[in-house]
Amino acid sequence: TNVDTKVVYEELISDVVQSYLSGVNGTVFAYGQTSSGKTYSMRGIAKLALKDVFAAISKCPTDTLQVSYLEVYNELIRDLLNPRSKNLRICDTIEGDSQIF
């Protein structure tokens, strides 16, 4: 089925973004067959999400923003915002949080 990325964002993702803006962590996960369009779709969704996030934080200049854009492929983790990143690791901190190194 051919569905517009904006429709997917509005129907499925915008609530995650609104929750994030309320202080709840949010994750959007794309899963599917190789070459099925996940990266293409996620780029469009990320643009729409960031547009909403930046519109909201522009009203509160003291807020900070932390974003990760990761790819998990063949059990390897890569930071798509840092093209030089290779196989990153997920580690639990003493505080019980998970961080990616």
Side-chain angles (χ1 to χ4, degrees):
T1 307
N2 193 6
V3 179
D4 184 22
T5 302
K6 188 168 176 65
V7 172
V8 172
Y9 176 77
E10 290 171 354
E11 294 292 322
L12 301 173
I13 312 300
S14 63
D15 288 343
V16 175
V17 173
Q18 294 308 310
S19 293
Y20 169 77
L21 293 170
S22 304
V24 177
N25 287 334
T27 299
V28 177
F29 189 85
Y31 178 82
Q33 186 175 5
T34 299
S35 298
S36 61
K38 297 176 299 294
T39 301
Y40 176 81
S41 296
M42 290 302 287
R43 283 186 185 136
I45 287 169
K47 288 179 185 178
L48 293 167
L50 289 173
K51 179 181 172 188
D52 285 352
V53 168
F54 282 116
I57 65 172
S58 69
K59 298 173 187 168
C60 301
T62 58
D63 286 348
T64 59
L65 173 66
Q66 206 171 10
V67 175
S68 299
Y69 189 38
L70 304 173
E71 174 185 64
V72 180
Y73 182 73
N74 286 336
E75 299 183 22
L76 300 176
I77 302 171
R78 189 168 69 112
D79 181 351
L80 295 176
L81 298 176
N82 179 3
R84 292 178 295 173
S85 72
K86 297 290 180 195
N87 187 23
L88 301 174
R89 297 176 301 139
I90 299 175
C91 300
D92 293 330
T93 65
I94 294 172
E95 295 82 21
D97 297 326
S98 295
Q99 292 188 349
I100 298 174
F101 298 97

